[in-house]
């Protein structure tokens, strides 16, 4: 699997809001190790359903999950759903 850029903005947001990878794993029903791989770019990307769940349960801004390359109009469309 090819590595991708880590979620640096998400990591910063988590630190400033005292959200742990353990808490994210609990919300997603997975392991902290798996969440760590997603966040650090060594595992699969977050699924849209996972991003929505984290945004809803932990109040993480959903736009943090989208790469800069995603057109702004597309990010807004997903955020409205």
């Amino acid at each position: 699997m090819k590595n991708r850029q880590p979620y640096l903005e998400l990591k910063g947001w988590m630190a400033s809001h005292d959200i742990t990878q353990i808490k994210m794993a609990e919300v997603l029903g997975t392991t902290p190790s798996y969440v760590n791989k997603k966040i650090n770019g060594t595992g699969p990307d977050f699924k849209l359903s996972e991003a929505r769940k984290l945004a809803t349960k932990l109040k993480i801004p959903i736009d943090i999950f989208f790469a800069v390359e995603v057109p702004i109009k597309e990010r807004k469309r997903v955020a409205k759903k």
Side-chain angles (χ1 to χ4, degrees):
M1 179 180 297
K2 183 178 175 183
N3 287 359
R4 59 175 170 67
Q5 290 295 318
Y7 285 94
L8 299 178
E9 189 176 351
L10 175 59
K11 290 167 105 175
W13 191 94
M14 289 169 61
S16 67
H17 290 84
D18 296 321
I19 300 293
T20 64
Q21 293 178 15
I22 294 169
K23 182 63 178 170
M24 289 178 72
E26 289 171 357
V27 168
L28 296 176
T30 190
T31 65
S33 173
Y34 191 63
V35 170
N36 180 277
K37 288 177 183 178
K38 287 178 177 271
I39 290 171
N40 289 306
T42 59
D45 210 344
F46 283 96
K47 297 175 190 173
L48 180 56
S49 60
E50 293 171 330
R52 284 182 175 156
K53 190 178 283 189
L54 292 169
T56 301
K57 302 276 185 178
L58 299 178
K59 308 299 185 217
I60 298 172
I62 198 160
D63 60 335
I64 286 178
F65 295 96
F66 296 96
V68 175
E69 294 81 19
V70 176
I72 292 173
K73 66 180 183 178
E74 294 299 321
R75 284 187 263 160
K76 288 181 179 176
R77 181 182 304 152
V78 172
K80 290 179 182 177
K81 291 183 179 180

